Amino acid sequence: MASVPSLASSVNQRVADALASALPEAGGADPLLRRSDRADFQANGILALAKKAKANPRELAATVVEGIATGDLIQEIEVSGPGFLNITISDRAIIETLAARAGDDRLGVPLAANPGTTVIDYAQPNVAKEMHVGHLRSAVIGAAMVEILEFTGEKVIRRHHIGDWGTQFGMLIQYLLEHPHELDHKSDEEVSGEEAMSNLNRLYKASRALFDSDEEFKTRARARVVDLQAGDAQTLALWQRFVDESKIYFYSVFNKLDMDIQDPDVVGESGYNDMLVETCKLLEDSGVAVRSNGALCVFFDDVKGQDGNPTPLIVQKSDGGFGYAATDLSAIRNRVGELDATTLIYVVDARQSLHFKMVFETARRAGWLNDEVKAVQLAFGTVLGKDGKPFKTREGETVRLVDLLDEAVERATAVVREKDKDRGLLTEQEIVENGLQVGIGAVKYADLSTSAARDYKFDLDQMVSLTGDTSVYLQYAYARIRSILRNAGDRSPVAHPELELAPAERALGLHLDGFGALIEEAAAEYAPHKVAAYLYQLASLFTTFYTECPVVKPEPELVVGENRLFLCELTARTLNKGMSLLGIRTPEKL
């Protein structure tokens, strides 16, 4: 289906055309149209244009108004203040446009004019380490951006840059070599994520204790790092066991988060090992990187330490070892050269901003990034506890991600059960399933409804609350509409453009029409929180509409009832689509 032009874009075009004929030198000028509480829209662009043309803004505005036909799209247009235009849309235009949206399975949302290829780097846990609350945001924000960009027609390649390389593996592999049964499974049946993680935890603690207390073991472990980096077959085979065991655990956590992480998309630090030497050579030969005290470094005028001396990006250490920068730069070369990326998005903690700023600038100097290929860090803030401090357990430990998700599901299930107690609409199985969808939805929404760059407080009581800006509120709004549609009897949703609309119907209709523009904005700005804000407003407007405009009872006349059911159905579809872009499920009954 073709995309449906929004009412705002149609009005904008009309005003722009009238402006161009009233003031030919302003051809193509933006009328600066925005939603207004004085009318449906207000155009504010005339003031600046009149000033530039040394014309009287009110007179220019009056000339523009004369050039705009009213009746079909625009019902009324008036000049207000020093030269603003207040514009009211006709009820017919609202319902006709919404009917066109309803006739399209994409809700009339346009595809991007020039889609490219985006590689998005998110959900980056570390091998042989437990995932904690700090891993939540990268996964949740990244997965939502994948959905939003794919919906606009962008080709999206997912990359999970797991921490699967480094000196700690010498200690782990050496210990496994000397205690070969430490990662054995209890049975041949499928291993749970819990079992895999407890194996890894036990081995990690035991090898660390030995490394710290036994000098001979420490020497053997360090020699094992050299074997690993040299590609020794036996060492690599043992290393692979750690990676495989960790993946069992990772996938169980991502599964709990209701996220689809595919094996080919997991390309860890080790995936770029073969490129590191060449990356360093390219940087050194081109003069982008220079040797300083034996290390290969890139210097920047604006990055200095506290002593005032330049702080370089170290690509290769003086002992020949490679730092994170070498891997990150090799990954850029791979993503641009092999995957043909036009955009690279890194969903990474804001505390790594300086590192990525230096890496991106280095890649630009080397010519791997340019005007056609850009890299962006979608930086996110910290998850805080209710006290506003970084989220820790009572013992001061980082909170295990699994515990957090289990508790959210437990709380949500209790809320669903309590709400259903008097109504008895749900079976026990539905209560459990809904508890799962509401709990995980609550965690994702709390994260996504805050601008990524800001810290946010993790407060489960607030997250599973039925009121306020929570996913449960949105899920209940959706389930309520599905229930209204099921109970509509012989009435069905039909658009009736000939009807006059009540204020709450108009407000809901105009907001529904803004969905396409909102998706475009969220995709361009990498801002999933804007989708969350739109959906919350949609559910709020629906609540007002439902309170003020009887849908089925007391009996509005047939056509009015059909038109209101039509608005209900389009609201449900928009909520469902918007929530799915955030990775949140909408139960049919709640």
Side-chain angles (χ1 to χ4, degrees):
M1 291 285 289
S3 65
V4 177
S6 68
L7 293 163
S9 65
S10 304
V11 170
N12 203 56
Q13 192 58 55
R14 293 260 178 117
V15 178
D17 291 349
L19 237 176
S21 63
L23 193 69
E25 62 268 36
D30 186 352
L32 300 179
L33 194 75
R34 60 178 181 81
R35 289 297 306 277
S36 163
D37 44 12
R38 302 242 159 85
D40 293 332
F41 294 101
Q42 190 172 64
N44 300 339
I46 289 174
L47 270 74
L49 287 171
K51 198 173 172 185
K52 215 165 151 189
K54 301 194 169 40
N56 177 315
R58 265 195 81 93
E59 284 173 15
L60 176 59
T63 312
V64 171
V65 169
E66 279 167 27
I68 295 175
T70 55
D72 57 342
L73 170 66
I74 295 171
Q75 186 178 318
E76 195 184 340
I77 179 165
E78 56 168 27
V79 179
S80 85
F84 299 129
L85 299 184
N86 284 344
I87 301 163
T88 304
I89 305 290
S90 74
D91 290 349
R92 172 175 287 278
I94 293 175
I95 296 299
E96 281 177 350
T97 301
L98 294 183
R101 291 198 178 287
D104 175 32
D105 56 3
R106 289 178 52 82
L107 299 169
V109 176
L111 289 161
N114 300 301
T117 299
T118 294
V119 174
I120 179 159
D121 187 326
Y122 68 108
Q124 310 107 340
N126 293 312
V127 165
K129 285 193 183 160
E130 192 129 29
M131 287 175 74
H132 55 78
V133 69
H135 290 113
L136 180 65
R137 298 207 72 187
S138 171
V140 169
I141 295 166
M145 274 322 307
V146 167
E147 295 297 329
I148 292 167
L149 289 169
E150 282 190 333
F151 186 54
T152 65
E154 185 78 0
K155 178 184 175 187
V156 180
I157 299 172
R158 302 153 171 80
R159 277 294 173 266
H160 309 292
H161 191 86
I162 62 172
D164 66 353
W165 203 249
T167 50
Q168 76 278 16
F169 283 100
M171 169 184 95
L172 294 168
I173 292 166
Q174 190 58 35
Y175 189 87
L176 185 58
L177 193 66
E178 296 172 17
H179 304 81
H181 298 297
E182 282 299 296
L183 288 183
D184 291 355
H185 297 143
K186 292 183 192 126
S187 71
D188 295 339
E189 284 165 32
E190 203 176 327
V191 187
S192 71
E194 251 341 278
E195 186 191 329
M197 196 62 237
S198 76
N199 278 348
L200 290 163
N201 264 339
R202 191 180 60 248
L203 197 150
Y204 189 86
K205 283 177 180 149
S207 64
R208 181 89 240 178
L210 198 57
F211 187 85
D212 291 342
S213 63
D214 181 334
E215 282 303 318
E216 288 181 356
F217 176 75
K218 188 182 274 191
T219 305
R220 293 196 298 279
R222 286 188 168 147
R224 187 60 57 188
V225 177
V226 179
D227 293 340
L228 177 65
Q229 288 174 340
D232 170 65
Q234 181 196 27
T235 306
L236 278 176
L238 291 168
W239 166 80
Q240 190 63 50
R241 286 194 65 190
F242 283 99
V243 175
D244 293 342
E245 195 76 6
S246 299
K247 280 183 176 178
I248 295 172
Y249 162 70
F250 296 157
Y251 294 159
S252 75
V253 179
F254 289 127
N255 202 24
K256 217 174 254 240
L257 263 170
D258 196 13
M259 258 178 214
D260 181 27
I261 303 253
Q262 298 289 336
D263 213 53
D265 302 332
V266 179
V267 183
E269 292 168 29
S270 65
Y272 306 100
N273 283 349
D274 296 349
M275 301 175 70
L276 301 178
V277 172
E278 191 186 7
T279 295
C280 291
K281 186 175 175 352
L282 289 168
L283 291 171
E284 193 169 7
D285 289 354
S286 62
V288 171
V290 293
R291 292 279 164 193
S292 173
N293 299 328
L296 186 62
C297 303
V298 183
F299 288 93
F300 308 87
D301 294 341
D302 57 346
V303 185
K304 294 186 167 62
Q306 287 171 327
D307 56 4
N309 290 327
T311 304
L313 181 72
I314 299 173
V315 185
Q316 190 178 21
K317 296 177 239 179
S318 53
D319 65 2
F322 299 102
Y324 285 127
T327 306
D328 288 333
L329 287 162
S330 298
I332 290 176
R333 283 179 55 214
N334 167 267
R335 291 165 183 184
V336 175
E338 302 294 317
L339 303 178
D340 297 326
T342 46
T343 306
L344 306 176
I345 301 178
Y346 290 77
V347 189
V348 186
D349 191 313
R351 286 170 293 198
Q352 293 188 45
S353 294
L354 180 61
H355 168 77
F356 279 101
K357 179 185 164 189
M358 292 158 85
V359 165
F360 296 163
E361 177 54 32
T362 301
R364 263 191 290 277
R365 290 180 190 177
W368 306 327
L369 295 176
N370 49 44
D371 293 344
E372 275 71 59
V373 185
K374 62 172 179 170
V376 184
Q377 183 193 357
L378 207 178
F380 56 82
T382 309
V383 181
L384 308 173
K386 282 188 193 179
D387 58 1
K389 295 186 180 134
F391 201 16
K392 301 268 194 244
T393 62
R394 290 206 179 110
E395 298 73 44
E397 302 275 312
T398 20
V399 181
R400 294 170 68 216
L401 186 50
V402 198
D403 293 343
L404 207 70
L405 299 177
D406 287 345
E407 193 185 343
V409 169
E410 208 176 296
R411 295 275 191 98
T413 308
V415 167
V416 172
R417 181 169 275 121
E418 179 58 33
K419 177 95 172 160
D420 191 58
K421 202 168 66 182
D422 302 327
R423 303 180 308 160
L425 292 178
L426 304 174
T427 64
E428 179 57 27
Q429 189 187 349
E430 286 172 329
I431 288 174
V432 171
E433 276 174 22
N434 287 353
L436 202 60
Q437 295 184 11
V438 169
I440 297 303
V443 171
K444 289 182 177 180
Y445 187 85
D447 193 318
L448 294 168
S449 57
T450 311
S451 159
R454 288 172 47 201
D455 300 343
Y456 82 98
K457 284 185 185 169
F458 196 96
D459 179 350
L460 273 177
D461 295 325
Q462 171 54 35
M463 287 179 189
V464 297
S465 161
L466 297 171
T467 54
D469 188 3
T470 65
S471 71
V472 199
Y473 174 66
L474 301 179
Q475 286 166 321
Y476 265 107
Y478 175 77
R480 177 201 250 172
I481 302 173
R482 300 305 304 165
S483 159
I484 293 165
L485 292 166
R486 280 194 300 273
N487 298 329
D490 53 358
R491 297 191 170 187
S492 46
V494 181
H496 285 280
E498 73 279 5
L499 292 175
E500 206 173 298
L501 298 177
E505 291 174 301
R506 291 181 60 87
L508 178 61
L510 285 165
H511 191 65
L512 281 167
D513 185 53
F515 186 56
L518 167 274
I519 295 298
E520 212 174 333
E521 195 179 316
E525 296 174 19
Y526 311 124
H529 70 279
K530 293 199 165 179
V531 177
Y534 172 90
L535 295 172
Y536 175 59
Q537 201 185 344
L538 178 60
S540 307
L541 287 166
F542 177 79
T543 305
T544 308
F545 155 78
Y546 189 65
T547 311
E548 293 179 8
C549 303
V551 175
V552 184
K553 300 173 190 162
E555 305 296 325
E557 59 184 278
L558 181 66
V559 289
V560 174
E562 287 180 339
N563 200 52
R564 287 176 180 170
L565 281 172
F566 162 74
L567 286 171
C568 287
E569 187 178 58
L570 189 57
T571 302
R573 283 177 59 195
T574 307
L575 274 171
N576 175 272
K577 185 70 220 174
M579 292 289 265
S580 81
L581 294 177
L582 298 179
I584 300 172
R585 293 187 189 267
T586 39
E588 293 292 302
K589 286 198 306 195
L590 252 182

